[in-house]
Amino acid sequence: MQVLLTGHEGYIGAVLAPRLLAAGHQVVGLDAGWFADCAFGDDAALRGLPSLRRDLRQVQASHLAGFDAVVQLAALSNDPLGDLDPALTMAINEQATIRLARLAKEAGVERFVFSSSCSTYGAAGDAFLDEQAPFSPVTPYALSKVRVEAALMALADERFTPVALRNATAYGVSPRLRVDLVLNNLVAWAVTSGKILLMSDGTPWRPIVHVEDICSAFLAALEAPRQAVHAQAFNIGRTAENYRIRELAEIVAATVPGCTIRYAEGAGPDARCYRVSCAKAEEGLPGYAARWDAAAGARELYDAYQAEGLSAERFAGPTYKRLGWIRHLQAAGSLSPDLRWQVAATTA
């Protein structure tokens, strides 16, 4: 396929782009370039990818001509970043994504795979939730995903197949590392300080999924027969990989020698609490097979942090935290309040 991969310089995109190429697809990236300087380890393959330096809000119909599929990852990518300016979150995550899908349909793109989120289930308690469960978003980020899914499914017809992949909370090593993801964060605390710091009381449930398994799901959604995925949503992860946050901390403690679990002052319950069933993807998404678990992921992260010499200073700094890096670029005068480059970005 000819695939346009938006957000190819992000946490998931940096892993997915080489996977798509290895599977034989022709890939062009599209990215605003906010995180181009946030490399972790070797990112040579990513930097060599044909790409367009474009803000999602600047995409035109001509950018979509000739593609068979669009994989839409580009977004303000977590709850803290979404809370920075809720209206801006909706402008980028919702309105620009819906506009992209409409342009793609008009350009003759046949498949549109959208990176949604299990955070759409929000405050849901202890019951396992499948794709028919009601949404209960508690953040602008999650609400944007709910709205985009509805708009995409309304666009579906015999020529245009949207697919929504509701990813569990991601973890794992990427050339565009994030330490603002729960397991990545806990391992980084342990490696750099000898402490595993929990910001909540540890009781909330959270489904997690390795970034490589997310990429496997995107590949499967691109390559599956149309009837298997048309206008459908899939929870992405493994049903067995639902954990209380304190359980993740215990896995990290068993992985990183000599560390102890600590709770932040005033730590209380987190409103985001949900468990999901991934049976639909595990049984009905052709080609999808999640392989990672939290213990293997914690070990991978520990080894990578050790190999890269991740320091407490680097961990505490903005480079691997999406909100921190955006604020850094704004403070430097590089990004405007509405997250547009103050100087023209290079077009690749």
Side-chain angles (χ1 to χ4, degrees), residues 219 266 310 318:
L219 271 169
L310 181 67

Side-chain angles (χ1 to χ4, degrees), residues 66 78-79 98-99 113 155 196 245 275 297 323 341:
N78 62 5
D79 290 332
I98 295 170
R99 177 176 173 273
V113 186
L155 290 173
I196 304 168
I245 300 300
R275 304 169 80 186
L323 176 57
W341 288 109

Side-chain angles (χ1 to χ4, degrees), residues 10 17 21 43 55 75 81 104 121 128 138 157 179 190 195-196 204 211 227 245-246 252-253 286 295 308 316-317 343:
L21 291 170
D43 67 344
D55 187 303
L81 192 53
Y121 300 121
F128 278 97
V138 297
D157 62 20
V179 296
K195 303 179 181 67
I196 304 168
V211 63
Q227 64 271 19
I245 300 300
R246 65 173 178 245
V252 175
E308 290 296 318
V343 293

